Amino acid sequence: MVDKTPIVDIKPYLPYSDKVEASDGYAPPPPRFKVVFSQRANLFCSRYKKEKDRNIEELIRQLLELDPRPAYHGSEKRGYGLKLWDLEVKFSWNDGFFLVEDVIAEG
């Protein structure tokens, strides 16, 4: 480079930021999914709340609403497990909603 020589800085065109209509802001809120508890899981959550004074049902609902499954699993039906405090939560994806099948205390 020689002193006082103009420098041409060429950048790629990025439609999301270079368009006249480009906008800023936050990402849209994530989708929330319906969560259904089996009778067995519901009974366990009720007992757990009385014994430990923790609303485990609400916590499980909040976690599953946001879809903790890996993105590459897609919408196929399959079972999952989740460790939460001293509990094992068994749930499955069923065509648009989560079914909490069982909640099991360790020990």
Side-chain angles (χ1 to χ4, degrees), residues 11-93:
K11 293 184 170 66
Y13 173 73
L14 302 171
Y16 66 85
S17 64
D18 294 338
K19 278 177 143 176
V20 174
E21 307 91 38
S23 62
D24 62 352
Y26 296 101
R32 296 193 178 260
F33 294 94
K34 182 177 178 180
V35 179
V36 177
F37 285 76
S38 71
Q39 184 177 3
R40 183 176 177 157
N42 205 2
L43 287 171
F44 180 90
C45 291
S46 296
R47 283 194 321 264
Y48 192 84
K49 185 174 182 179
K50 288 177 187 174
E51 292 172 10
K52 306 273 186 171
D53 197 29
R54 290 179 173 170
N55 191 348
I56 193 69
E57 181 179 348
E58 184 60 26
L59 180 57
I60 293 169
R61 186 178 309 282
Q62 289 174 359
L63 289 170
L64 296 184
E65 278 181 344
L66 296 174
D67 193 2
R69 299 173 301 149
Y72 61 86
H73 281 186
S75 60
E76 62 191 61
K77 291 184 180 183
R78 64 190 306 167
Y80 297 90
L82 172 70
K83 181 146 171 74
L84 190 60
W85 292 322
D86 58 339
L87 307 173
E88 181 74 26
V89 180
K90 303 286 185 184
F91 64 96
S92 61
W93 173 253

